[in-house]
Amino acid sequence: MPEPQDLAPRRRRLVYRALHRGTKEADLMIGGFVARNIAVFTEAELDDIEAVLEHWDVDLADWLSGRRAIPPQADTPMMRRMAAECGQTGAGVPPGAER
C-alpha cells in the first residue's frame, strides 16, 4: 500500500474517509478495501467510491459482509467489487490479528 503522503489530495481524503467511518467493522472492511486499491483507481472509480461512501455504515457493513442483499438503488459495479472482496473470510480482521 502506498504511504498517504505519496497520494494526491483527493486520494488521501478518500482513504481517510474510508478508514474513519465510525464503526470498527466498517473502518476495517471499507477502509481496508480503499487503502489496498486507492493507488490504482481511475478517476471514474474514485467517483464510484465517493458514491459508495455516502451510504450509512450499518447498511454498508451488512451489504459488504453479505448479511443483507445489496438493494437495487445501491447495486453498482463498485459496490459488487467491494462486496466480493469484503465478503471473503478475514476481510474485517485487523492487520496482524489473523491466525
Side-chain angles (χ1 to χ4, degrees):
M1 277 187 280
E3 292 298 319
Q5 66 270 15
D6 296 334
L7 296 171
R10 181 182 186 196
R11 292 174 192 270
R12 278 196 311 266
R13 281 191 303 274
L14 282 170
V15 169
Y16 182 87
R17 188 173 170 203
L19 286 169
H20 297 87
R21 300 292 300 170
T23 64
K24 189 66 168 175
E25 181 180 28
D27 290 353
L28 291 170
M29 282 195 310
I30 300 161
F33 173 84
V34 172
R36 284 187 298 276
N37 295 288
I38 194 69
V40 297
F41 282 149
T42 64
E43 289 298 314
E45 288 172 323
L46 294 177
D47 293 341
D48 295 342
I49 284 294
E50 287 175 334
V52 167
L53 295 178
E54 291 299 317
H55 295 286
W56 291 96
D57 279 2
V58 173
D59 292 330
L60 283 173
D62 283 353
W63 301 336
L64 297 177
S65 67
R67 285 189 294 259
R68 287 190 301 151
I70 300 168
Q73 69 274 15
D75 191 4
T76 64
M78 182 58 74
M79 186 72 78
R80 286 191 300 276
R81 180 177 169 187
M82 289 178 73
E85 187 174 315
C86 293
Q88 295 177 3
T89 301
V93 177
E98 306 90 11
R99 288 192 178 194

